[in-house]
Amino acid sequence: MSTRFQFRNVHFQSGKKSLTKWPETRKRISSDHLSVVFDDCTSRTSFLFHSEDSRFKVDGDGTLKLKRGVTLHNGHKEFYVSTQSMGKKITVPVRVLHEARHGHHHHEMTTQPQPGSSLSLPVLNFHKSSGGLKRRKRDWVIPPINFPENDRGPFPKNMVQIRSNNDKEVKILYSITGPGADQPPVGLFTVDKNSGTLYVTQPLDREKRDQYVLLAHAVAVGEGKAEDPMEIIVKVIDMNDNKPVFTQNPFTGTVPEASKPGDEVLQVTATDADEGGSANSDVRYTIISQEPPLPSPIMFVINPVTGVIRVNEHGLDREKILKYTLEIQAADMEGNGLTCFGKAIITVTDSNDNAPQFVTPSYTVSVPENKADALVVKMPVTDGDEPHSSAWATTFKIVDGDPQGLFNVSTGPSKLEGIITTVKPLDFEKNNKYTLLVTVVNEVPFAVPLPTSTATVIVNVEDVNEAPVFTPVEKIIRKPEDLPVDSDLVLYTATDPDTARNQKVTYKIRNDLAGWLSINKDTGLIKVKAPMDRESTFVQDNKYSVVVLGTDNDEIPATGTGTLIIELEDVNDNPPTIDERMIKVCNKESSPQLLSITDKDGADFAAPYTVQLQGSSNSNWTARMNDTKTGIILTLKTMLDSGDYTVVLRVSDTKGLHQESTIQASVCDCKGADVQCTDKAVAGFGLSSILGILGAILLLLLLSLLLLMFLRKRGGEKKEPLLQEDDVRDNIYYYDEEGGGEDDQDFDLSVLHRGLDNRPDVFRNDIAPTMARPEYRPRPANPADIGNFIDDNLKAADNDPTAPPYDSLLVFDYEGGGSEAGSLSSLNSSSSGDDQDYDLLQQWGPRFKKLSDMYGGGED
């Protein structure tokens, strides 16, 4: 940037159009002005100026005015005017002088310094004349000094001459300061102090520094007063001395093999250290060579300006050529200057341009019926794309032959295998053959149109023996509970799905907990075997359930199950009963007693009830029903002596079915509802009676002790050796079984392991179960469900209060009538026997040690 100060239109005149007379010793000016023109090489026309002397004012357009009168001592006045431009402070000195001439003059000077030229330092002098003040000094502009880099000299080389306009009047000494002079790099520029010639001492490098800002100083010899420094800018001219440099080498990129011409691959870039925006740094790119040059030597093209590499032709194939190497040239001067070379490595990535193919186009397999998730076939395939990529992994689909959705095809773990399984059980009787058409594709679509590979799978269904099927699986009938024995209940049959086998089905009832039913094994007709009872504990919610088994006659029989649910209709077969069996009342002003009634029958055969007193009870008691007709109010109407009385009541239900109930009434000698009975027998039981009972007990104990001592002494006289020392082990026998001893070893233990299917038809009805009977699952037709069937029924049996061994007959074998072993009665506890050595028992282990201590310890 060059800055120019112009001082023009200098007018110092009297505000009253006349000059003031000043004493000779001093001169005074007033109401005069001059203009300051400031040009900072921009379009700005107004600036903010600041005058060092407050008596002078500079307007925004550069007009310099006097704010009040000024006295010029010694004939002149000096001050500075400054402003801001582009972040820098610009300062220029102003000197006002007195001259005797009138009029005003205008003079301006512009300098354009060149290397080897002369520069004048700015000194402004104003002289007073009769018409005002006149400027003596020229004003000037110093543009930057352009100097080329890499100049070959000789050095030091003359650049420009600096001179002051006072150098003719006084001797001036010149110096420079700033970067390149007295600051690093020190000594790059020097100045002749006498002539002001500026020299450069060595070649400049624009890439290190593109300009230098120096300050030139001029000092008058003898006066010791220096002019203000002048700024000198040395701009280094760029030369093409730097070749381009790639930002990386090599460049790498990828391109899909199915790319089309014009698809962008990557961009290469190079930088040039020369001046930006000039031809020296204008880089152009070209592809020098391509390796391999197949299928065409120009598979790629590069934009010479941007360096973007694009696909130029068709034919990329990863399976043939995986990688290309391009040699790239970058040249400045728009491609005609300095050059550099680099490489671009382009990897061809896989595209789905190879369709997977079945290894075998057709398969014939056999699958058993009635089996879900059964493996049908595994179909391997091949694919030429990159392994383990989405263009290589496969998916399969059944496109024909399975309208009912009986099959499923999935991809195996290897991603190159199709696995067909059954979704639902196949039925040989419905369809014994399926022909499936399977296709295979990749996980991603084909990059180019390709034919789809197919395979045909013929599935033959194998016939297996299926269990008979009851229709319906759960049959519900409604029968009265008093149906006579041997009456027909229902015909419950099953059909064999294996129609081609023509098998016979036989029937059996399982889980008939109450033992009420029987079934014809050939026809499936179910009859009443024992009277049924709706109020039985085996009936839940008026329903009694049994499981019916249907078994075919195959070599390996299959059994199907059906559930028969009998809804028992209630009949009036249970008379009402009174819950209370004993009551207590006072014989004076007796309070009524409320008796509860229970009827096991349903509501149709229960309340309202009626009651009647029977026999002699009618003379001492009154009985009536409460308001709801569900309870009996019994009242003592006659004052009786304290004691126990029997009250007989006949209670009838709504249908007239009745039963007599006996109530034990304790009449106490009391009054009202506060019943307090005293047991006279207990009250008359005195202390003498208690002592007599205790004496009798002690006498019995004493007699027992004497009898025991007598038996012990008698046994001691007949004592025999406890064990024979010759072979004691022959006399030891082990009894670990429930058999009949040594004489009865041929017994059948199987009777101790009777299962649910062999339970007897007689059950204990005297013990009512405490829990509800659980439901047992019928045997499943699918063998795979046998495990769950066993677990569920095992839990049901654990919670079944009627299951063995709690309510079944337990049969044990007879244990026999004799034994080859000797009697153990000789092992008596006698006070004598000092001649017997019991220490031998110590050697037989801890079990016999206690016995040795008992018998070998002497009298104690």
Side-chain angles (χ1 to χ4, degrees), residues 302-512:
I302 190 170
N303 187 307
V305 177
T306 62
V308 174
I309 299 177
R310 299 180 183 272
V311 177
N312 189 47
E313 293 188 5
H314 291 285
L316 296 173
D317 192 344
R318 186 198 68 86
E319 287 74 31
K320 295 180 179 180
I321 301 175
L322 180 61
K323 187 178 297 183
Y324 288 91
T325 301
L326 306 180
E327 186 176 1
I328 311 297
Q329 172 187 283
D332 59 16
M333 298 296 291
E334 299 180 351
N336 300 314
L338 303 178
T339 61
C340 70
F341 299 91
K343 291 184 178 182
I345 299 176
I346 301 175
T347 302
V348 182
T349 59
D350 186 39
S351 296
N352 194 12
D353 57 349
N354 293 279
Q357 301 292 325
F358 283 101
V359 175
T360 303
S362 63
Y363 299 86
T364 301
V365 296
S366 297
V367 179
E369 66 173 334
N370 301 326
K371 188 175 182 181
D373 298 325
L375 175 64
V376 178
V377 67
K378 293 184 178 180
M379 304 173 293
V381 297
T382 60
D383 195 296
D385 291 313
E386 182 179 1
H388 308 293
S389 66
S390 57
W392 172 84
T394 55
T395 60
F396 299 83
K397 184 178 181 182
I398 299 175
V399 296
D400 191 26
D402 185 25
Q404 297 177 340
L406 301 176
F407 300 91
N408 175 64
V409 61
S410 59
T411 303
S414 66
K415 298 295 184 180
L416 291 179
E417 184 180 54
I419 302 175
I420 298 180
T421 57
T422 58
V423 177
K424 304 174 183 177
L426 305 180
D427 192 344
F428 174 85
E429 286 71 31
K430 291 183 179 180
N431 192 352
N432 59 9
K433 185 178 181 180
Y434 297 87
T435 301
L436 308 178
L437 182 63
V438 185
T439 61
V440 58
V441 294
N442 294 116
E443 291 182 351
V444 295
F446 295 145
V448 294
L450 296 172
T452 302
S453 179
T454 61
T456 302
V457 181
I458 299 176
V459 182
N460 294 316
V461 182
E462 297 177 351
D463 186 24
V464 297
N465 184 29
E466 300 176 77
V469 178
F470 284 88
T471 306
V473 177
E474 185 176 87
K475 190 175 185 67
I476 301 176
I477 62 174
R478 186 177 182 87
K479 297 292 180 179
E481 63 175 323
D482 61 347
L483 201 65
V485 175
D486 205 32
S487 299
D488 294 344
L489 275 179
V490 67
L491 183 65
Y492 193 21
T493 60
T495 58
D496 194 338
D498 300 313
T499 56
R501 300 191 180 206
N502 194 20
Q503 298 178 138
K504 181 182 179 181
V505 180
T506 57
Y507 302 94
K508 182 180 179 182
I509 291 181
R510 190 181 70 179
N511 289 349
D512 182 13

Side-chain angles (χ1 to χ4, degrees), residues 21-28 71-75 98:
K21 295 182 180 180
W22 304 98
E24 296 181 354
T25 57
R26 59 180 180 177
K27 305 298 181 181
R28 181 179 178 87
T71 300
L72 300 178
H73 298 280
N74 300 325
H98 173 75

